[in-house]
């Protein structure tokens, strides 16, 4: 059977023009090993459990620690005092009762479906203009750095998040239209008075946590080699590193984790989530996360700290050792055409396909691995439409860290939704691309010029990751 291939935009994919000759079709081939996104830490699984598998090269002790860390991650914490002494100390103010409430099956959270739905993975960060001695954003003077919309028995709840949406229509060159939902965020039912008049609200969705240790195992110099802060090469892309406060080393380090790259390592990322999202103190953040306007000293806690060093370390190991799902259909011609389009419209300028880990890491098997996370971990200006107007260390109000794309095609299978971007406003990958602006505006414009079949191939590629 003869194929008819037409393309005038991407001559690298096909013979330019139209042909009905089989010999004019250009067959594409995958790179050797490109299906192994996480190198040795790749799992051949595409079920709803795809994000939950340990790297198989862990030592016996690490495997034990992974299992215990998994239980701490998934099981519910309760308020103190409790007979469940290993997991008491929740709150007094919190967003969720377990890490897995927001990172369900180690995957992505989503915005609430209705006002008052709690613990699904969206939270509000609060800040006011200015920075502290370490360069971090200043918190709201009454409610602190984060709205915690749940509370144990006794204190009054801080408040409730409310989201309203405005419809925006985008039109492709071929006339196809897509309706986007633009959110507006407010806080209602405030329990301790008004927020600061100049408060900045930054919505953040819980991300999937596969491959965190692999990203940490990549040398800082590798990530910095992608930076081009002043766009010296003139391609319109000017990624730069965030530098943030590392609590335990008392120093400024490159940020790698979080939507604005505001955490320097997995350890501090885990500790920050325990503190901010669940009110659990740890060896990294031993002080109770209590709003400045509330006296928490009279409220029972679960110990000092509430998660001791051994259990905390096991949670960190768990968060570092989750494998990355293997690529599906990576050698399919449609997927390979989509991959080439991804390259041709320059998505790879920020979503760097392939990097190498360093010579050493505490999970020894992670050393010297070729991984394919599709990120540069750098900050990029994404334009006014995605801006939260809330600076975070060096990140401006319109800058966001490039999120890794590995696993993106399995979010629906694992989490039952396809909400993307930092606040989950995009209801699918197409909407996520159409929200891109700023440094990504040119790539977005090229995406809008694609034919329907080219868009389909691009989405097949992204869903193979």
């Amino acid at each position: 059977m003869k194929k008819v291939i037409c393309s005038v935009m991407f001559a690298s994919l096909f013979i330019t023009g139209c042909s009905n000759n089989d010999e004019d079709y250009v067959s594409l081939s995958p790179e050797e090993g490109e299906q192994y996104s996480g190198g040795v830490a790749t799992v051949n699984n595409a079920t709803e459990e795809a994000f939950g598998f340990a790297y198989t090269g862990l030592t016996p002790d690490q495997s034990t620690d992974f299992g215990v860390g998994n239980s701490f991650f998934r099981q519910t914490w309760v308020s103190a005092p409790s007979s469940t002494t290993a997991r008491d100390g929740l709150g007094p103010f919190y967003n969720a009762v377990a890490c897995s409430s927001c990172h369900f099956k180690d995957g992505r959270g989503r915005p609430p479906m209705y006002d008052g739905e709690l613990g699904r993975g969206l939270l509000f960060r609060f800040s006011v203009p200015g920075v502290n001695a370490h360069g971090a954003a200043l918190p709201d003077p009454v409610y602190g750095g984060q709205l915690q919309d749940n509370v144990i028995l006794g204190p009054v709840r801080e408040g409730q998040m409310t989201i309203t949406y405005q419809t925006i229509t985008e039109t492709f060159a071929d006339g196809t239209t897509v309706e986007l939902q633009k959110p507006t965020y407010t806080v209602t039912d405030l329990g301790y008075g008004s927020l600061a008049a100049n408060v900045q609200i930054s919505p953040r969705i819980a991300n999937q946590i596969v491959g965190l240790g692999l990203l940490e195992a990549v040398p800082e110099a590798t990530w910095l080699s992608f930076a081009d802060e002043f766009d010296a090469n003139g391609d319109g892309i000017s990624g730069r590193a965030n530098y943030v406060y590392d609590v335990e080393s008392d120093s400024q380090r490159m940020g790698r984790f979080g939507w604005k790259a505001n955490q320097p390592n997995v350890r501090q990322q885990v500790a920050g989530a325990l503190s901010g999202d669940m009110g659990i103190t740890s060896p990294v953040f031993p002080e109770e996360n209590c709003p400045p306007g509330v006296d928490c000293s009279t409220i029972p806690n679960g110990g000092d700290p509430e998660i001791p060093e051994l259990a905390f370390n096991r949670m960190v190991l768990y968060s570092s050792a989750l494998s990355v799902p293997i690529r599906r259909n990576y050698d399919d011609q449609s997927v390979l055409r989509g991959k080439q389009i991804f390259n041709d419209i320059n998505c790879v300028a920020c979503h760097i396909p392939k990097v190498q880990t360093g010579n050493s890491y505490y999970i020894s098997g992670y050393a010297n691995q070729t991984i394919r996370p599709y990120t540069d971990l750098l900050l990029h200006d994404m334009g006014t439409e995605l801006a939260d107007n809330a600076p975070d260390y060096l990140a401006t109000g319109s800058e966001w860290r490039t999120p890794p794309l590995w696993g993106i095609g399995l979010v629906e299978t694992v989490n039952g939704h396809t909400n993307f971007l930092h606040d989950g406003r995009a209801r699918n990958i197409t909407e996520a691309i159409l929200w891109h602006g700023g440094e990504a505006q040119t790539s977005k414009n090229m995406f809008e010029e694609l034919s329907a079949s080219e868009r389909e191939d691009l989405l097949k590629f992204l869903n193979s990751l």
Side-chain angles (χ1 to χ4, degrees), residues 65 71 112 115 124 161-162 237-238 249 251 266 283 286 315 322 380 459:
D65 288 345
S71 70
D115 287 347
F124 288 175
M161 64 174 68
T162 299
I237 309 298
S238 52
S249 69
S251 64
V266 176
M315 286 192 70
L322 286 167
H380 294 276
L459 294 176

Side-chain angles (χ1 to χ4, degrees), residues 105-381:
K105 292 186 179 294
D106 306 299
R108 285 181 62 90
R110 60 165 174 79
M113 296 181 67
Y114 53 85
D115 287 347
E117 185 185 28
L118 300 173
R120 294 300 179 181
L122 180 70
L123 56 83
F124 288 175
R125 294 277 174 84
F126 291 153
S127 62
V128 295
V131 297
N132 66 15
H134 302 299
L138 296 176
D140 180 86
V142 174
Y143 292 92
Q146 183 169 313
L147 173 69
Q148 294 163 310
D149 55 359
N150 215 332
V151 66
I152 65 172
L153 186 65
V156 176
R157 185 171 66 171
E158 291 183 1
Q160 179 176 317
M161 64 174 68
T162 299
I163 311 172
T164 57
Y165 292 102
Q166 170 192 353
T167 299
I168 296 176
T169 301
E170 290 275 352
T171 304
F172 287 98
D174 65 5
T176 303
T177 60
V178 177
E179 289 190 345
L180 307 181
Q181 54 177 18
K182 181 179 181 178
T184 298
Y185 300 102
T186 56
V187 183
T188 59
D189 301 327
L190 288 163
Y192 298 93
S194 299
L195 290 162
N198 57 350
V199 70
Q200 300 155 153
I201 299 176
S202 180
R204 311 281 177 93
I205 206 79
N207 240 321
Q208 65 192 41
I209 62 171
V210 298
L212 296 186
L214 291 169
L215 297 175
E216 189 170 62
V218 175
E220 182 176 303
T222 298
W223 300 121
L224 294 179
S225 72
F226 304 131
D228 185 14
E229 183 171 356
F230 303 106
D231 193 18
N233 65 3
D235 68 350
I237 309 298
S238 52
R240 65 193 186 114
N242 202 355
Y243 284 91
V244 304
Y245 184 56
D246 183 325
V247 174
E248 293 186 301
S249 69
D250 190 25
S251 64
Q252 299 294 123
R253 297 286 175 88
M254 178 186 167
R256 299 185 186 224
F257 303 109
W259 281 104
K260 294 213 174 197
N262 68 348
Q263 295 292 3
N265 49 53
V266 176
R267 184 176 171 87
Q268 191 162 307
Q269 173 70 27
V270 172
L274 286 168
S275 175
D277 304 348
M278 298 168 61
I280 303 296
T281 58
S282 70
V284 178
F285 296 115
E287 301 297 323
E288 196 71 68
N289 186 356
C290 193
V294 179
D295 180 10
C296 290
S297 63
T298 60
I299 301 173
N301 63 48
D304 186 21
E306 288 163 330
I307 182 168
E309 183 78 31
L310 179 58
F312 176 69
N313 288 343
R314 286 168 164 167
M315 286 192 70
V316 174
L317 184 279
Y318 174 77
S319 301
S320 301
L322 286 167
S323 293
V324 180
I326 199 168
R327 290 271 306 278
R328 286 83 52 213
N329 305 319
Y330 69 98
D331 55 355
D332 179 87
Q333 286 298 301
S334 296
V335 170
L336 289 167
R337 289 195 296 270
K339 174 186 171 184
Q340 185 63 56
I341 293 169
F342 188 82
N343 181 78
D344 285 343
I345 67 176
N346 206 28
C347 300
V348 293
C350 303
H351 293 282
I352 304 293
K354 183 169 60 177
V355 293
Q356 192 84 9
T357 63
N359 294 326
S360 64
Y361 189 63
Y362 81 100
I363 300 174
S364 60
Y366 280 12
N368 300 311
Q369 290 299 301
T370 298
I371 61 173
R372 293 170 168 82
Y374 286 86
T375 181
D376 59 7
L377 294 193
L378 299 178
L379 299 172
H380 294 276
D381 188 329

